[in-house]
Amino acid sequence: QVQLVESGGGLVQAGGSLRLSCAASGNIFSINAMGWYRQAPGKQRELVARITSSISTNYADSVKGRFTISRDNAKNTVYLQMNSLKPEDTAVYYCKARAKSTAWSQWDDYWGQGIQVTVSS
């Protein structure tokens, strides 16, 4: 099994910055893509940013130019640097990783427990 633990959330004023971290631990042979999703009250969970093992990235249009995703493969950790935050960025942010526990096992998706980000106007 793989566990994901997010950190770095909190309350920030509009225009401010936060950096989220997500560390993967447990029985890890390899991690493929890692990503950040968010879910605001009354809305569906949506992709924010994603990064592959080859460091290819993609972003939701709403965060392009403001958010940057990166990863440290040695630490099995993915980061989300969020700048110029807006009230509409308020949501619970979830980390997701596609990983396998052994060389012959299948790829499975794992989720973190979520972390609150609140942007005040």
Side-chain angles (χ1 to χ4, degrees):
Q1 278 288 1
V2 176
Q3 296 81 41
L4 302 176
V5 178
E6 300 109 334
S7 60
L11 173 64
V12 65
Q13 288 189 333
S17 298
L18 283 174
R19 188 191 194 210
L20 304 183
S21 299
C22 172
S25 63
N27 196 11
I28 300 171
F29 173 77
S30 179
I31 298 177
N32 192 340
M34 302 185 80
W36 290 95
Y37 292 71
R38 66 187 181 187
Q39 187 167 18
K43 295 188 177 181
Q44 289 190 333
R45 191 173 297 187
E46 63 176 0
L47 173 69
V48 177
R50 180 176 178 270
I51 184 168
T52 68
S53 57
S54 60
I55 319 299
S56 174
T57 60
N58 61 287
Y59 296 90
D61 287 343
S62 59
V63 307
K64 283 180 181 177
R66 300 188 298 123
F67 291 11
T68 302
I69 190 170
S70 61
R71 64 190 283 175
D72 185 333
N73 290 330
K75 296 181 179 180
N76 289 330
T77 299
V78 63
Y79 306 95
L80 185 68
Q81 178 66 43
M82 304 186 293
N83 299 329
S84 303
L85 282 160
K86 303 175 181 180
E88 50 263 44
D89 294 317
T90 295
V92 177
Y93 283 70
Y94 296 89
C95 174
K96 178 184 174 183
R98 176 157 292 184
K100 57 166 59 177
S101 298
T102 66
W104 55 86
S105 58
Q106 65 182 14
W107 292 103
D108 287 321
D109 289 331
Y110 298 89
W111 291 89
Q113 79 284 359
I115 191 164
Q116 180 69 44
V117 171
T118 302
V119 184
S120 63
S121 56

